[in-house]
Amino acid sequence: MHKKIFIALIFLAALFNINRAWAMSAEERNLMCAFASMAAYSSDVGTSIRDELTARGWMVEPIEAFSSKADAKALLLRRTTAEGRINILSICGTEDQKDAEIDLRVKPMPFDVEGGLVHTGFNDYAATLLDNDRFLALIDEVERSGEKLFLTGHSLGGAVALLTAARLTERGLGDSIEVITFGAPAVGDRYFVNYFDGRINLTRITVSGDPIKKSLRSLGYTHVGEAVKYVPAKSIAHFRHKMAVYLDCALRNYYDARSEDWSGGATVGKIYAAPIRLVAGEFARSDEKYIGLIARDVLTAQNAGVVFAPTPVMLIEREDYEDDFTDVAQEEFRAARAAGCDRVLIQLIRLQTEREARRDVDRVTLERIVCDLKGFPLSMQTSSMRTSEVTALEAILFAQWRSSL
């Protein structure tokens, strides 16, 4: 089946079709902005995403603005090709004490709309950003060039993205801006909402079970627009407001919307990718499809000459995991010879629970073994990541990124 190229796949498979930036599907756009929103955080996960984007040719530029009322932190992501440029400004969510104080500064204040009131803390943060020289230069570039700008963010970052878009819409830039928020609280009263509803190109994404989306309703704040509702997988145990849960949902929705089958990819190559081996019972059965698709996309980015086995994932028993893998993989070696390959890639992924500091910690471990056709190991790599800050699916993605062929 023909493999459609998705713009969001730049994060997974280094494909980028810039002139489709505003014709992408909702799933592509939401995944792209979910990665950007996660990247805005100054965490190990955010660093991993920023490093991957830089390696894929994106310009990654922090934008910081400080005032007595807020320390505004955002991340500008840009990529330029002969066809044009895409701009994403991701605003960071709550990270420190000053951000938490902004969240709690809930008293309404007048907005530049007759009768409209907005959350004081969120407005202070947006005003600080809007007074930044680098941000103003970005807006001038967008205005002069006619380029488009995505404004995105999680939680506090999403609330500020919406208020920033409202200010820019009043300046006449509404057609140049699209806003995608994740788990953002309401920012204004019904007068504000009535004025801007339909005037801002907004996608407001929520997750079922996230309490923040309703947190300010009792104070008279109301959401702009209808919510796009994500339902997290049953295997996810994280607090539903975490950005990791939103990114996990966006990944699954993206893959669910793709129409091509597993057989996409190279038919001729030097490396034969055997089915990924998962120890039975360590991952949810509903996750197996996504594990296989993520691995295929990352491998395609790392080496376009990978030929994939027709079955993406195979379950093995725990005792088989300890055995010599070449005994398990003879069928794959025969398939590799038939495909004209001279190497075989075997991947083993485990989700293990470790005891650290009087608590259980789950860790995803990826082992990559490249062999010649006689089963002799040519290279071996191991990458692992805890799932305290990310879901198991995301940990697999980041472990794949850290490995190479």
Side-chain angles (χ1 to χ4, degrees), residues 166-211:
R167 296 286 186 189
L168 297 176
T169 296
E170 288 295 272
R171 179 173 163 173
L173 292 173
D175 291 340
S176 299
I177 296 168
E178 183 167 352
V179 184
I180 297 91
T181 67
F182 301 92
V187 301
D189 65 3
R190 62 186 180 90
Y191 295 101
F192 174 88
V193 170
N194 290 339
Y195 184 81
F196 284 106
D197 201 12
R199 297 187 65 205
I200 296 175
N201 189 358
L202 168 67
T203 300
R204 179 170 62 87
I205 299 174
T206 65
V207 159
S208 60
D210 181 353

Side-chain angles (χ1 to χ4, degrees), residues 106-118:
V106 299
K107 183 179 178 180
M109 66 169 292
F111 194 73
D112 296 340
V113 176
E114 185 175 353
L117 300 174
V118 295

Side-chain angles (χ1 to χ4, degrees), residues 243-258:
M243 185 59 216
V245 177
Y246 282 90
L247 177 56
D248 189 283
C249 291
L251 272 168
R252 293 170 192 267
N253 287 358
Y254 166 73
Y255 281 114
D256 287 342
R258 286 170 60 170

Side-chain angles (χ1 to χ4, degrees), residues 76-336:
L76 175 61
L77 307 175
R78 304 180 112 171
R79 183 176 171 92
T80 304
T81 72
E83 292 80 17
R85 180 165 62 181
I86 188 170
N87 307 285
I88 308 170
L89 187 74
S90 176
I91 301 170
C92 187
T94 304
E95 279 200 315
D96 54 31
Q97 181 63 35
K98 195 161 186 177
D99 294 339
E101 292 170 358
I102 287 170
D103 292 334
L104 296 174
R105 207 178 298 151
V106 299
K107 183 179 178 180
M109 66 169 292
F111 194 73
D112 296 340
V113 176
E114 185 175 353
L117 300 174
V118 295
H119 184 289
T120 295
F122 300 158
N123 191 69
D124 289 341
Y125 196 115
T128 300
L129 183 62
L130 285 159
D131 195 40
N132 176 262
D133 289 342
R134 180 65 189 94
F135 178 77
L136 293 174
L138 169 65
I139 297 306
D140 286 342
E141 289 177 43
V142 170
E143 191 170 20
R144 288 195 310 271
S145 66
E147 295 174 352
K148 302 290 185 175
L149 173 66
F150 287 99
L151 288 175
T152 190
H154 167 246
S155 193
L156 165 65
V160 174
L162 177 56
L163 279 174
T164 302
R167 296 286 186 189
L168 297 176
T169 296
E170 288 295 272
R171 179 173 163 173
L173 292 173
D175 291 340
S176 299
I177 296 168
E178 183 167 352
V179 184
I180 297 91
T181 67
F182 301 92
V187 301
D189 65 3
R190 62 186 180 90
Y191 295 101
F192 174 88
V193 170
N194 290 339
Y195 184 81
F196 284 106
D197 201 12
R199 297 187 65 205
I200 296 175
N201 189 358
L202 168 67
T203 300
R204 179 170 62 87
I205 299 174
T206 65
V207 159
S208 60
D210 181 353
I212 301 301
K213 60 190 177 186
K214 300 179 180 179
S215 59
L216 297 176
R217 287 185 180 179
S218 62
L219 300 177
Y221 294 107
T222 304
H223 281 292
V224 177
E226 295 296 320
V228 174
K229 299 179 181 178
Y230 283 169
V231 178
K234 293 180 180 179
S235 59
I236 298 176
H238 294 76
F239 177 49
R240 291 297 188 254
H241 182 60
K242 293 185 73 169
M243 185 59 216
V245 177
Y246 282 90
L247 177 56
D248 189 283
C249 291
L251 272 168
R252 293 170 192 267
N253 287 358
Y254 166 73
Y255 281 114
D256 287 342
R258 286 170 60 170
S259 59
E260 82 279 7
D261 61 21
W262 171 254
S263 62
T267 57
V268 177
K270 294 296 185 181
I271 300 177
Y272 184 85
I276 298 169
R277 283 155 170 76
L278 303 177
V279 175
E282 291 188 348
F283 293 93
R285 292 301 296 267
S286 59
D287 292 344
E288 293 171 15
K289 161 190 170 182
Y290 304 104
I291 292 171
L293 290 170
I294 284 174
R296 184 190 65 177
D297 283 341
V298 175
L299 286 171
T300 300
Q302 294 173 343
N303 189 317
V306 177
V307 177
F308 295 95
T311 302
V313 170
M314 66 178 292
L315 299 180
I316 61 174
E317 297 302 322
R318 188 168 282 104
E319 55 269 22
D320 293 333
Y321 180 85
E322 304 299 334
D323 292 341
D324 183 352
F325 62 87
T326 57
D327 293 339
V328 183
Q330 290 307 312
E331 183 178 339
E332 281 81 31
F333 284 102
R334 287 192 292 272

